[in-house]
């Protein structure tokens, strides 16, 4: 019986996704839900969020949270479009500019969090505000919709074996992230750092370097999502970026309740994105007002954190909802003391 319960707990989110799809497909109030056009739009829209949610998951695995992913995506999309529209630069240069911008955001976050030691919530929340200000300064509050490379927009509307090209790109990147986190030494090191920073330093892992790497990698993924956003929409809107943050964070936390209970994981994040997306899409088609998106995302985040916290207390483990700054370290990356380890032991014994 306990085995059945354990399996149901691991796959509960996937089961709820299937149930939601079936419910809205047979619901007379949502007759257009299970149509090719709606499902294709849902797939494309959620693909962008999947990439940003995966970008959120990487630092979360290392014990940090990045609240600047949404504004970063909005600013980088504007920079990508602006390099082509305002500066007349070729597509390749614009894409390289987007990646450089993403790396810079990741490096600044790394400096604030891994080097200076500011809480990731405070640091990235401050960065989100700064990025939003820079976005308005760069765009003047206006969208960029002209001068976009036709090759990019053609890619945004193209298909490969019937699957939208952006979805194929997101699927490949998500699979790579899943493989790296689950089956490589780098992924295992990130998991170790996120689970126990103090213990990780005792076995020779540099917590600061791993946290910094996860933040820079998140910046790169955000830059790719920004390029795809321009490709799909044929331009860049300065209002869109911040709207990605809450759904991405909610999906990353909610995904931590699936498959590997109490541990954020790529497969769980992707499943959570589509579960939230299906529910929001179905309720919107049902006639609910625009506030339903914020309601579903907010509830998903609260439920996910609540479940992980309760499970962590019950099992005596480090809950997924806990986010800690990297421990103080010497210049060689080793821990200055083992206070973090003592703190974790105290929590476990509590």
């Amino acid at each position: 019986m306990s085995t059945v319960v354990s399996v149901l707990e691991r796959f509960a989110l996937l089961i709820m996704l299937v149930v939601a799809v079936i419910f809205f497909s047979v619901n007379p109030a949502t007759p257009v839900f299970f149509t090719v056009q709606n499902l294709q739009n849902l797939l494309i829209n959620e693909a962008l969020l999947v990439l940003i949610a995966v970008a959120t998951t990487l630092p979360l695995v290392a014990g940090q949270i990045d609240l600047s992913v949404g504004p970063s995506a909005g600013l980088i999309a504007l920079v990508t479009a602006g390099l082509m529209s305002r500066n007349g630069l070729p597509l390749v240069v614009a894409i390289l500019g987007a990646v450089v911008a993403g790396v810079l955001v990741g490096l600044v976050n790394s400096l604030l969090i891994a080097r200076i030691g500011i809480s990731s919530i405070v640091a990235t929340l401050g960065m989100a505000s700064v990025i939003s200000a820079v976005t308005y300064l760069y765009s003047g509050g206006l969208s960029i919709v002209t001068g976009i490379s036709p090759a990019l927009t053609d890619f945004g509307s193209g298909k490969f074996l019937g699957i939208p090209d952006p979805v194929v790109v997101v699927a490949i990147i998500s699979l790579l992230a899943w493989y790296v986190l689950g089956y490589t030494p780098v992924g295992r090191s990130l998991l170790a750092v996120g689970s126990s920073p103090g213990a990780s330093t005792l076995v020779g892992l540099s917590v600061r370097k791993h946290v910094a790497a996860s933040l820079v990698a998140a910046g790169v993924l955000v830059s790719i999502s920004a390029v795809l956003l321009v490709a799909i929409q044929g331009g860049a809107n300065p209002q869109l970026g911040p709207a990605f943050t809450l759904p991405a964070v909610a999906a990353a936390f909610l995904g931590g309740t699936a498959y590997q209970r109490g541990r954020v994981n790529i497969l769980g994040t992707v499943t959570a994105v589509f579960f939230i997306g299906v529910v929001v899409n179905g309720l919107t088609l049902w006639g609910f007002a625009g506030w339903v998106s914020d309601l579903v995302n907010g509830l998903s985040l609260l439920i996910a954190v609540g479940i992980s916290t309760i499970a962590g207390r019950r099992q005596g483990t480090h809950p997924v909802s806990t986010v800690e700054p990297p421990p103080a370290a010497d210049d060689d990356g080793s821990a200055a003391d083992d206070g973090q380890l003592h703190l974790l032991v105290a929590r476990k014994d509590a």
Side-chain angles (χ1 to χ4, degrees), residues 12-22 270-272 274-276 278:
L13 187 59
L14 179 61
I15 293 172
M16 289 192 298
L17 171 60
V18 173
V19 170
V21 171
I22 295 174
V270 174
T271 304
F274 283 104
F275 170 71
I276 295 173
V278 165

Side-chain angles (χ1 to χ4, degrees), residues 77 80-81 84 90-92 94-95 98 147-158 165-166 224 226-236:
T80 304
M84 291 181 285
L91 175 59
V92 174
I95 293 176
I148 308 300
S149 170
L152 184 60
T153 55
D154 289 345
F155 177 82
S157 59
D165 289 338
I224 296 174
V227 174
L228 293 180
L229 180 61
V230 176
I232 293 172
Q233 296 195 337

Side-chain angles (χ1 to χ4, degrees), residues 71-241:
S72 297
L75 175 60
I76 297 173
L78 282 167
V79 170
T80 304
L83 289 175
M84 291 181 285
S85 178
R86 298 178 178 178
N87 304 106
L89 296 176
L91 175 59
V92 174
V93 176
I95 293 176
L96 289 176
V99 174
V100 169
V103 171
L104 286 176
V105 172
L107 286 174
V108 173
N109 283 335
S110 301
L111 174 65
L112 296 173
I113 298 169
R115 174 60 62 174
I116 299 178
I118 301 175
S119 164
S120 60
I121 295 178
V122 175
T124 57
L125 187 60
M127 274 295 293
S129 182
V130 171
I131 291 171
S132 295
V134 174
T135 298
Y136 184 82
L137 180 65
Y138 181 80
S139 66
L142 302 176
S143 299
I144 300 177
V145 295
T146 59
I148 308 300
S149 170
L152 184 60
T153 55
D154 289 345
F155 177 82
S157 59
K159 293 182 180 179
F160 176 75
L161 300 178
I163 303 174
D165 289 338
V167 175
V168 175
V169 172
V170 171
I172 293 173
I173 294 175
S174 299
L175 285 172
L176 286 174
W178 168 77
Y179 176 79
V180 169
L181 285 182
Y183 298 95
T184 67
V186 173
R188 289 191 289 270
S189 296
L190 280 177
L191 288 170
V193 166
S195 299
S196 178
S200 297
T201 60
L202 294 179
V203 297
L205 293 177
S206 173
V207 174
R208 291 194 302 178
K209 290 180 180 179
H210 282 82
V211 168
S214 69
L215 291 165
V216 173
V220 173
L221 292 186
V222 168
S223 68
I224 296 174
S225 71
V227 174
L228 293 180
L229 180 61
V230 176
I232 293 172
Q233 296 195 337
N237 186 334
Q239 307 297 328
L240 286 181

Side-chain angles (χ1 to χ4, degrees), residues 340-350:
Q340 286 279 355
L341 180 61
H342 292 164
L343 178 60
L344 290 170
V345 172
R347 279 186 186 161
K348 189 170 182 179
D349 294 338

